[in-house]
Amino acid sequence: SQERIDALSQLSKIAMTMEDEANIESLVLAKGFEQCVAVISGDKASIIVSLEEELTAAQNAQICTIVYETAEILPKNVTISCK
């Protein structure tokens, strides 16, 4: 039925989003951050990293690049927070 197809499609999108979030987190951690949580919602991403000092422009660019290359989310739609 169409409802079943729609449900499977939605599940597939959720799984792909979860995979993208996990990949972003792994790649950001590989850049030397202690902790990272990535949350994707549609065409926007929120990234939270553990950092003692403020994020440098280079670190910001690194994270935005990772998000774009992984999930094709533009840097203007990426919010990065430090905790």
Side-chain angles (χ1 to χ4, degrees):
S1 73
Q2 187 60 44
E3 289 158 355
R4 179 178 162 82
I5 292 169
D6 290 346
L8 289 172
S9 175
Q10 192 67 16
L11 279 173
S12 177
K13 286 179 188 173
I14 291 169
M16 287 172 52
T17 298
M18 290 174 65
E19 185 177 341
D20 285 347
E21 290 169 345
N23 288 338
I24 290 168
E25 291 167 0
S26 295
L27 291 167
V28 170
L29 291 174
K31 294 293 183 186
F33 292 92
E34 286 181 28
Q35 294 179 318
C36 177
V37 175
V39 179
I40 296 172
S41 179
D43 66 346
K44 298 189 183 309
S46 296
I47 311 299
I48 303 166
V49 292
S50 178
L51 198 61
E52 294 290 323
E53 63 278 350
E54 279 195 41
L55 207 62
T56 66
Q59 290 170 320
N60 190 72
Q62 271 185 332
I63 293 170
C64 285
T65 299
I66 288 168
V67 173
Y68 180 74
E69 289 177 351
T70 304
E72 295 182 358
I73 295 174
L74 296 173
K76 70 178 182 174
N77 292 332
V78 177
T79 304
I80 304 169
S81 305
C82 299
K83 300 282 182 195

